[in-house]
Amino acid sequence: MNRVLPLALLSAATALSACTVGPNYRPATTESLGVPDSYSVGDAAAREDLTTWWTRFDDPMLQQLAAEARTTNLDVAQAIARLRQAREGLVQSRADLLPSVSGSGGYSRREPITGGTSTTTLPDGTIISTGSGSSDSFSLGADASWQADIFGGNRRGVEASRAALAAAGYDYAAILVAIQGEIARNYILARANQAQLDNARATLAIQDDNLEIAGFRVQAGLVSSIDVEQARVQRAQTAASIPSIESAYASAVARLGVLTGRAPGALRTQLAAVRPIPTGPASVGVGIPADTLRQRPDVRVAERNLAAAVAQIGVAEAQLYPQLSLGGSIDTSANALDAIGDIITGRIFSNIAQLIFDAGRTRSQVRSQQAAADAALANYRQTALTALEDVENAVVALDAAQRREREFAIALDAATNSALLSRLQYQSGLTDFTTLNQVESSLLSARNGVTQARADQATALIQLYTALGGGWDETQITDPAPVAVLVEGSN
């Protein structure tokens, strides 16, 4: 009978193991998320492969920096570490489904120190004194225990850990996409600042000439000294703008250094040579919103977090039901090593426990997990809608920047011609310095406008690429490249 009961309990546990409490997770449909069939703006052409979107700017330096982010950026390194933690969490959750086995061994020796003699009286009256000698004791044992997952609490735990692992992988991808976008934006900013510095310095050279011409005309008695003072004001204002542009340029370069895991000034030499602002393609096929949701890693993080939250409901609910534990042990001991195993004893046991009263704590935990799942669903919907908003905003920003660049190009052409004519007229005495001053201020403004519009166009293109979820693929989240500084010397 003692052997039959554990076997019966084991059979019952196996039969009941198919019972898993808690809701089963079902992915939300695009309709339930409020996702439209198409975007209200942009090119509805099929979404392109944007895994390495930075190559479309045809700038070797930008390509190098964006590619390096995978293995040098320290935010990416932290995401990789969290991914590794999540993998181990899944291993630990799976271990809860299997029995645990432990072994033990022992040895002891008894050695008399002092005293310990005993006397024995034989039948014939002879008294014999004997002393206790030393003795050895050896023991070996093994224990096994298993908690039967009758109501699926452990299986729900594995389900939650598997979803958390996927979420950690997509989180790594989301950080990678964000870092690559930030690198590209700061690179565009650095090149735009270089262009603005060129504009300011070229304008400053012209204003130096104007100041000299005004001085000559004052000396000749053709104009009053007001022209010289106006020329000095204009030159000083232009010169004053240069330090702020240099500061913005230095900040962008420093940021690029940190984003690539370097010291802030590490890239100053490499970026010192002036290069034009990179320009990408004029348009990008955005596809349909469903494509974006599949490609955006932050949306997939939110979806996997929802799956994990739903699974945790079952983990909490399983605590309301009986808990069955089975186990056994086997032991042997002897006073001599060669006699170990002569006598072996075994023991099997079973235990069942049922929560009776905890003042509503466990049921409250179930309700808490249900609330967490509701919050995760709301976050999933919000993340999905925000992703679509990002795409539409980027499309509108790109179109606006392109139209602004076209208009500023016209303004620059007109301002250049006007400045040339005004300078000739001033030298000939046909116009005053105030007119020349206004025209050349407009020229500088037009030059900076073209520069800013080109930078805005490139930035909007980067914004669109990242909004569409470009910059990663599935293979990167299964086996991401390690960051060398963190894995150096590890096993």
Side-chain angles (χ1 to χ4, degrees):
M1 180 65 180
N2 291 337
R3 295 181 179 179
V4 173
L5 180 58
L7 292 176
L9 289 173
L10 179 60
S11 300
T14 303
L16 289 171
S17 63
C19 177
T20 303
V21 298
N24 292 320
Y25 175 73
R26 292 180 178 83
T29 62
T30 54
E31 291 80 7
S32 64
L33 294 174
V35 176
D37 294 331
S38 60
Y39 289 107
S40 62
V41 296
D43 184 1
R47 198 184 67 84
E48 308 165 31
D49 181 10
L50 304 178
T51 304
T52 55
W53 54 262
W54 51 87
T55 60
R56 304 187 178 198
F57 286 93
D58 195 24
D59 188 299
M61 189 65 185
L62 174 58
Q63 294 175 21
Q64 175 188 337
L65 295 176
E68 283 180 0
R70 296 178 180 176
T71 55
T72 60
N73 180 268
L74 298 180
D75 287 326
V76 173
Q78 295 176 59
I80 292 174
R82 290 192 293 270
L83 177 57
R84 290 164 50 205
Q85 285 181 304
R87 284 175 179 166
E88 299 308 320
L90 178 58
V91 172
Q92 295 165 27
S93 296
R94 285 172 173 167
D96 291 337
L97 296 173
L98 302 175
S100 62
V101 181
S102 61
S104 62
Y107 165 74
S108 64
R109 180 176 177 84
R110 181 178 180 276
E111 190 73 43
I113 303 301
T114 182
T117 60
S118 61
T119 59
T120 303
T121 304
L122 299 178
D124 61 359
T126 303
I127 298 176
I128 301 175
S129 295
T130 59
S132 58
S134 60
S135 62
D136 296 319
S137 177
F138 301 89
S139 65
L140 291 175
D143 296 276
S145 63
W146 177 54
Q147 182 172 346
D149 191 27
I150 299 178
F151 296 99
N154 291 339
R155 292 193 297 280
R156 290 299 191 193
V158 172
E159 184 180 334
S161 296
R162 188 179 293 114
L165 173 58
Y170 294 129
D171 179 65
Y172 156 73
I175 290 175
L176 182 61
V177 168
I179 293 300
Q180 289 167 338
E182 190 174 357
I183 286 174
R185 282 189 291 270
N186 279 276
Y187 184 82
I188 297 299
L189 181 59
R191 295 308 186 192
N193 286 326
Q194 285 181 332
Q196 287 180 341
L197 281 172
D198 281 350
N199 293 341
R201 288 166 180 161
T203 301
L204 195 62
I206 293 174
Q207 290 171 349
D208 284 335
D209 291 340
N210 291 343
L211 179 59
E212 185 177 3
I213 294 170
F216 291 152
R217 291 177 61 80
V218 169
Q219 291 176 2
L222 300 175
V223 295
S224 71
S225 60
I226 293 177
D227 285 12
V228 172
E229 297 306 318
Q230 285 183 332
R232 288 178 60 205
V233 169
Q234 186 185 47
R235 185 195 181 284
Q237 289 175 339
T238 302
S241 69
I242 291 178
S244 61
I245 299 173
E246 290 175 336
S247 176
Y249 169 75
S251 296
V253 173
R255 187 64 187 147
L256 285 172
V258 173
L259 287 170
T260 53
R262 298 178 173 92
L267 294 173
R268 292 192 185 278
T269 302
Q270 291 177 262
L271 291 171
V274 178
R275 289 184 58 86
I277 300 171
T279 56
S283 63
V284 179
V286 298
I288 60 175
D291 292 336
T292 299
L293 299 189
R294 282 190 290 268
Q295 184 62 24
R296 281 278 293 244
D298 57 338
V299 174
R300 299 182 73 169
V301 168
E303 188 272 335
R304 287 292 83 197
N305 285 338
L306 172 59
V310 171
Q312 288 293 343
I313 298 174
V315 174
E317 192 172 335
Q319 302 303 312
L320 296 170
Y321 295 90
Q323 308 293 315
L324 174 64
S325 299
L326 302 174
S329 63
I330 185 169
D331 301 280
T332 180
S333 61
N335 293 329
L337 188 59
D338 57 357
I340 199 79
D342 288 352
I343 300 176
I344 301 175
T345 60
R347 183 172 69 96
I348 57 175
F349 62 87
S350 60
N351 178 66
I352 190 167
Q354 169 63 54
L355 175 67
I356 296 176
F357 177 76
D358 67 350
R361 180 192 302 273
T362 303
R363 293 189 181 278
S364 176
Q365 291 173 345
V366 174
R367 293 193 297 270
S368 176
Q369 291 299 333
Q370 290 171 339
D374 290 340
L377 175 59
N379 179 66
Y380 178 31
R381 296 183 61 186
Q382 180 68 29
T383 304
L385 295 178
T386 300
L388 305 184
E389 178 188 16
D390 291 344
V391 173
E392 297 211 0
N393 287 344
V395 170
V396 172
L398 178 60
D399 178 69
Q402 289 172 339
R403 288 188 287 115
R404 287 176 57 238
E405 183 183 6
R406 289 193 294 269
E407 296 301 326
F408 271 118
I410 297 172
L412 177 59
D413 182 65
T416 301
N417 293 334
S418 179
L420 290 173
L421 292 174
S422 295
R423 194 172 300 113
L424 291 173
Q425 289 177 347
Y426 179 71
Q427 291 174 347
S428 303
L430 300 177
T431 188
D432 57 18
F433 191 82
T434 300
T435 301
L436 176 62
N437 189 11
Q438 292 174 345
V439 169
E440 291 190 341
S441 294
S442 298
L443 175 60
L444 177 59
S445 177
R447 283 176 174 171
N448 286 334
V450 169
T451 298
Q452 189 60 53
R454 287 175 180 170
D456 289 346
Q457 181 178 342
T459 300
L461 196 55
I462 294 166
Q463 179 185 350
L464 180 56
Y465 285 145
T466 55
L468 291 171
W472 71 286
D473 57 39
E474 291 285 349
T475 60
Q476 291 175 344
I477 67 173
T478 56
D479 188 21
V483 175
V485 69
L486 295 186
V487 300
E488 183 177 357
S490 63
N491 295 326

